[in-house]
Amino acid sequence: MLSRTADHLYWMARYTERAENLARMLDVNCRMSLLPQGAEVLEQGWIATLTIIGLMDAFRQRYDSVTSSNVIAFMAFDRDNPLSIYSCLRAARENARAVRGTLTSEIWETLNATWLEMREASQRPSTDAEVGNFFEWVKYRSHVARGVIQGTMLCDEAWHFTWLGTYLERADSTARILDVKYHLLLPHGEQAGGAADYYQWSALLHSVSAFEIYRRVYRDLITPRRVAELLVLRDDMPRSLRRCMSQVYAHLQAVRNSQSSETERRAGELQASLHFGRIESVFEMGLHEYLVRFLGQVRGLGDRVSRDFLVSATD
């Protein structure tokens, strides 16, 4: 396959997944903001979200105060923010347009329709209820796109590069969501186990579509350690780090070339550490430290994929 074609497919998938994951991250913050809390606590939640995405400095250049409305405007609808939902859906559509001959007509029509609807959504103000509906719409359109890809695309190298981009992006997002919420949900001195505590952990699970899965797997109270275990080490959880890296490794094996052996080895090493890992070891290291290391490894894999297969390392 031409590296340029692989590049467009890979980034088409990553931007589609990124838009959904941004919606999930913003949605969980909106859910948390419904709890009784001081303005300072609410602001810290949004600051942590902007920081983990890496956009705190860019936000400060545009806005004087960190409020829900400002962050949502910046992260969802801002045309000049290259990492907003608006920009991600636009980039996904442009990458798809560049390889229309490789995609099925259903895939192109789905991504193009999503972008056209996004343009309309970005031109009208939204109430709190409409913002929530918008996040659900972003997630739904991502689900539709993945379903069409799975159901209509030939399972060749193009298909493998599409899913490689999807799962690398998903691994990065799950780690970020888990990391930023662990910073906030159990501050020093707060009593765990209360109603607010339960709602916060429930909101985190809802943000990665894991609340019902948690109930089926554990059938017990929601505890931080089990939440981490579910999202890090369980292979049957669709958005867990282990599941994502298992898929990344499998798709890398399917597209291997003469210069990708080290990339494949590193992906396999990371996948094996998750496969054989124990949650006790994760907490001994420190969850934050573990997730920061994981994010660095995923970022390194992304750089190596770009070098081994793609035209450029544009992010």
Side-chain angles (χ1 to χ4, degrees), residues 229-245:
E229 181 180 56
L230 181 70
L231 298 184
V232 175
L233 297 179
R234 287 199 64 104
D235 191 51
D236 50 1
M237 167 59 198
R239 308 190 77 85
S240 74
L241 305 189
R242 178 179 167 186
R243 178 66 176 174
C244 290
M245 291 313 304

Side-chain angles (χ1 to χ4, degrees), residues 244-288:
C244 290
M245 291 313 304
S246 294
Q247 293 296 313
V248 167
Y249 182 52
H251 290 297
L252 274 174
Q253 288 179 303
V255 297
R256 63 163 63 108
N257 61 24
S258 59
Q259 59 190 31
S260 65
S261 59
E262 178 59 18
T263 302
E264 187 178 329
R265 186 196 68 78
R266 293 190 185 192
E269 183 179 47
L270 182 53
Q271 186 271 337
S273 71
L274 290 162
H275 179 80
F276 295 104
R278 300 178 63 191
I279 197 63
E280 292 80 10
S281 300
V282 172
F283 277 91
E284 284 175 9
M285 173 185 290
L287 183 62
H288 172 65

Side-chain angles (χ1 to χ4, degrees), residues 148-168:
V148 172
I149 290 169
Q150 184 67 41
T152 69
M153 195 171 182
L154 181 67
C155 298
D156 56 4
E157 282 193 331
W159 184 84
H160 286 293
F161 276 111
T162 301
W163 289 110
L164 176 60
T166 296
Y167 283 106
L168 266 177

Side-chain angles (χ1 to χ4, degrees), residues 201-212:
W201 288 109
S202 298
L204 171 59
L205 290 169
H206 277 295
S207 74
V208 289
S209 298
F211 180 77
E212 294 174 356

